[in-house]
Amino acid sequence: MNESFLVSAIKAFFQNSPLAMFYIVLSLVAIWMYKQFRAYLIENQKSTIGKTEKAIEVYSELEVTIRKILQGNIISTSLDECITKSSSYLPYELLKNTTIGWRLKRR
């Protein structure tokens, strides 16, 4: 019993040594690819969550600014500044109806 259990199991399943090495390497590559794909999915999900949180923050700030303008507490230039900050998160249809959209149409 000089051989370890793993070596004896490999020899029992695969009498042909090169074929055993092929399956072992193939298994290791499959495990590595699974880990890489899983890490990619987790990173992608974190990125999506971060973008969603930022969009919610921007929309909330825009809503507060609109409420303050409707109450007469601040002037409308603050709304332009807020829309400019949030323009990357706003839908194009909404953005083209703002003063920024009017400026883009004139160009």
Side-chain angles (χ1 to χ4, degrees), residues 76-77 79-81 83-84 94-106:
S76 63
T77 57
L79 180 62
D80 285 340
E81 293 172 8
I83 289 174
T84 302
L94 181 63
L95 189 60
K96 72 180 181 182
N97 293 329
T98 64
T99 56
I100 296 170
W102 295 331
R103 283 186 235 145
L104 292 174
K105 287 179 186 176
R106 282 190 236 153

Side-chain angles (χ1 to χ4, degrees), residues 27-80:
S27 299
L28 291 175
V29 168
I31 291 170
W32 176 78
M33 287 178 59
Y34 168 77
K35 287 176 65 178
Q36 292 296 323
F37 185 67
R38 185 172 182 268
Y40 168 76
L41 289 178
I42 290 172
E43 187 64 34
N44 191 21
Q45 186 177 22
K46 285 180 184 178
S47 174
T48 302
I49 289 171
K51 288 177 185 177
T52 303
E53 288 175 351
K54 180 66 176 169
I56 290 171
E57 179 183 324
V58 165
Y59 279 124
S60 299
E61 184 180 340
L62 185 59
E63 181 183 8
V64 168
T65 305
I66 291 170
R67 285 184 185 180
K68 286 180 181 179
I69 288 175
L70 292 175
Q71 293 172 355
N73 294 340
I74 59 175
I75 57 176
S76 63
T77 57
S78 298
L79 180 62
D80 285 340

